[in-house]
Amino acid sequence: MQPGTYTYRRRVAFGECDPARIYYTPRAVDYCVEAIEAWWASTLSASWTDLLARQRLEVRFLHVETEFLRPLTAGQEVRVGVRVPDAGQSRLTFRVTGEGESGEPHFRALLTA
């Protein structure tokens, strides 16, 4: 992971996989959103949900782009790294990378909220 990257660790559950124990690739977006939620809590000491309710904000993803590089399997730990390369007045862009234990990338995503 690059310096300045928030890291969220997660184990791939058996129920997130097909019969060959390979995770369903759309789950990568779920992993990204989980990591972004953890980033909010770590960075602002408040959950994303609490922050939105207190500030009466409505945040939705305007753009999600995902690149799948190699499969993840049940029981494997993935380190999901979150960086914020762009923060505007009404927009936040998250660059998220899912890496295996040895640092090999499994997926990359760009999410704009």
Side-chain angles (χ1 to χ4, degrees), residues 53-109:
R54 269 187 293 177
Q55 298 298 322
R56 292 195 169 109
L57 298 173
E58 187 175 320
V59 177
R60 64 186 144 240
F61 288 105
L62 305 170
H63 178 82
V64 176
E65 182 179 319
T66 312
E67 181 181 13
F68 304 102
L69 306 169
R70 58 181 52 86
L72 287 163
T73 56
Q76 184 175 359
E77 183 176 276
V78 61
R79 291 187 320 252
V80 185
V82 177
R83 288 183 36 245
V84 180
D86 184 38
Q89 193 168 11
S90 63
R91 222 176 252 225
L92 268 177
T93 299
F94 298 94
R95 187 168 302 282
V96 183
T97 304
E99 295 182 354
E101 293 174 30
S102 63
E104 73 280 5
H106 287 268
F107 61 84
R108 285 190 282 249

Side-chain angles (χ1 to χ4, degrees), residues 19 22 24 29 31 35 44 46-47 56-57 61 104 106 112:
I22 296 173
Y24 295 110
V29 175
Y31 296 176
L44 301 174
S47 76
R56 292 195 169 109
L57 298 173
F61 288 105
E104 73 280 5
H106 287 268
T112 302

